[in-house]
Amino acid sequence: MKNTFYRFTYLILIFGLLFNFVACSKSSSTAAENAKINIVVTTFPCYDFVRATTKDIPNIQIKMLIKPGAEIHSFDPTPQDLIAIQKSDLFIYNGGESDHWVDEILISMEKNAPKTLRLIESVALLEEEHFDEDHFHEEDGHHHEGHSTEELEADEHVWTSPENARKMVDFVAKALEDLEIDEKLSSEDKAKIKKNVEEYKAQITEVEDKIKKVIDSKAEKFIVMGDRFPFQYFAKYYGIEYLAAFSGCSTAVEASTQTISKLINTVKEKSLPAVFYIELSNHKIADTVAEAAKVATYQLNSVQNISKVDFDNGETWVSLMEKNALALEKGMR
């Protein structure tokens, strides 16, 4: 999180800029822009659920603030981002630690803030795991490092569960219904949204079943992650036990000798065929563990963000989970 000085400076900047944003946004609008429904989202999961819900509706345009390949946890909005948020018909964000900046911005916008949707409110939350380097223990059927004494917060990586993904798609569709902008959405558009929602939820269920079939076929429902672990909802949903180097929102980049040793020993003791790492990672820890244990490495996609290549290729939550099914098939015993 930002230190006190930075946060204070940051808020001063926001307040100073917003006086001009309102006038700028009104004066620069055109008739064509006013005819469109502008949806601004923060992250790729938000983008993907909105894209799937509004597929083939040309007057809906979506802007994703956090660019493909960017680090989610250190994102700071630009003045252009603030203008986009304020001019939007609907602003969608996930909520949680990575979106700490959103509340400050919405408060500063006061009555000029757009209609907002916080996706994390649509699902049941798990407590975020905070790991330390002192020791490992086993708790609640999962293997992970010792908890710190900090007060636990909600784990924000809710979209990794297929059940939650379906709920979030429904949440987005309901928000579109509640926009009260009938002049911009025809009855055909509304029918298309309903059709899109059912089709995408069916795709989510299909890949969910595929992953479940893979996991159910394995003798050892256990994985080692030589990386952060933003998969708590995924693991709980599928009944996977795990050992990871760091918690999901950790900013650490180096692991202790003790942590690496424990990861290596666990891979060997359980005869695991692979160590996993997440997307956009340098996977140095996973490589170190895999080399010592003489096993393979595979990427698991948390879908928190994706590379520009994957984005340009049209990868979706479903297609990335398809890749996870293949990785788990190879990487689990």
Side-chain angles (χ1 to χ4, degrees):
M1 301 288 283
K2 296 178 175 66
N3 60 40
T4 304
F5 174 78
Y6 184 88
R7 291 167 68 87
F8 179 78
T9 305
Y10 179 69
L11 282 173
I12 292 294
L13 174 62
I14 291 175
F15 286 130
L17 289 170
L18 280 177
F19 285 108
N20 295 324
F21 288 169
V22 176
C24 181
S25 63
K26 290 179 179 177
S27 63
S28 62
S29 295
T30 65
E33 288 174 334
N34 289 333
K36 288 187 176 294
I37 299 171
N38 295 296
I39 301 177
V40 174
V41 304
T42 52
T43 60
F44 181 75
C46 302
Y47 177 86
D48 185 64
F49 297 147
V50 174
R51 173 178 57 180
T53 302
T54 62
K55 185 180 68 172
D56 298 328
I57 302 179
N59 66 323
I60 292 181
Q61 58 184 20
I62 313 165
K63 177 181 176 64
M64 185 171 74
L65 297 183
I66 302 178
K67 300 296 185 269
E71 170 53 54
I72 299 292
H73 302 90
S74 59
F75 173 77
D76 282 319
T78 66
Q80 291 75 24
D81 292 333
L82 301 182
I83 293 172
I85 292 171
Q86 192 173 21
K87 291 176 66 177
S88 66
D89 294 294
L90 180 62
F91 173 54
I92 301 178
Y93 65 109
N94 185 65
E97 183 176 343
S98 296
D99 284 338
H100 63 86
W101 55 272
V102 172
D103 290 336
E104 296 172 350
I105 286 174
L106 294 179
I107 289 171
S108 70
M109 288 181 177
E110 298 179 337
K111 65 181 180 180
N112 294 310
K115 179 178 177 63
T116 64
L117 190 68
R118 189 170 180 255
L119 290 186
I120 206 169
E121 295 177 355
S122 66
V123 301
L125 301 178
L126 299 174
E127 287 184 324
E128 182 184 354
E129 294 178 310
H130 290 269
F131 302 160
D132 61 39
E133 296 288 350
D134 294 333
H135 65 281
F136 290 80
H137 66 198
E138 187 173 326
E139 178 179 83
D140 298 331
H142 297 288
H143 296 254
H144 29 77
E145 296 174 284
H147 290 281
S148 74
T149 57
E150 296 178 22
E151 182 179 352
L152 294 179
E153 301 174 348
D155 187 324
E156 66 185 40
H157 308 95
V158 292
W159 61 85
T160 58
S161 155
E163 179 181 27
N164 287 352
R166 284 188 292 268
K167 289 179 180 179
M168 293 166 87
V169 169
D170 282 333
F171 202 46
V172 168
K174 180 65 165 58
L176 288 172
E177 287 181 18
D178 294 344
L179 272 181
E180 298 180 356
I181 45 178
D182 290 341
E183 71 280 4
K184 295 184 181 181
L185 276 179
S186 66
S187 57
E188 291 80 6
D189 290 334
K190 294 177 181 178
K192 194 171 293 183
I193 287 174
K194 291 182 179 179
K195 181 172 180 289
N196 288 341
V197 166
E198 293 311 310
E199 286 181 351
Y200 202 59
K201 284 164 56 178
Q203 292 176 39
I204 291 172
T205 299
E206 184 178 353
V207 73
E208 168 193 7
D209 293 342
K210 184 176 294 186
I211 294 172
K212 185 176 186 301
K213 184 176 180 180
V214 168
I215 293 170
D216 287 348
S217 71
K218 301 300 181 179
E220 186 69 75
K221 295 177 176 58
F222 190 104
I223 62 174
V224 166
M225 178 71 69
D227 215 319
R228 294 192 301 219
F229 195 82
F231 296 96
Q232 189 181 180
Y233 292 89
F234 182 93
K236 181 178 174 64
Y237 189 79
Y238 287 109
I240 298 174
E241 297 181 25
Y242 55 89
L243 182 69
F246 310 115
S247 58
C249 282
S250 173
T251 57
V253 294
E254 299 290 341
S256 69
T257 302
Q258 181 187 18
T259 296
I260 292 176
S261 177
K262 179 64 176 179
L263 295 174
I264 293 169
N265 290 338
T266 301
V267 172
K268 290 180 177 179
E269 289 167 4
K270 292 183 173 293
S271 300
L272 302 179
V275 178
F276 294 96
Y277 59 90
I278 63 172
E279 73 278 5
L280 305 177
S281 165
N282 62 22
H283 49 85
K284 288 172 62 176
I285 297 172
D287 289 345
T288 298
V289 174
E291 183 178 359
K294 296 180 173 53
V295 298
T297 59
Y298 296 109
Q299 176 175 295
L300 278 184
N301 297 283
S302 72
V303 199
Q304 185 158 30
N305 202 356
I306 62 174
S307 68
K308 187 176 187 309
V309 171
D310 283 346
F311 185 83
D312 291 343
N313 287 339
E315 296 284 3
T316 68
W317 184 99
V318 169
S319 67
L320 292 170
M321 286 294 171
E322 290 270 3
K323 292 182 177 181
N324 284 349
L326 294 175
L328 291 170
E329 175 63 48
K330 297 174 181 177
M332 294 181 72
R333 182 173 72 81

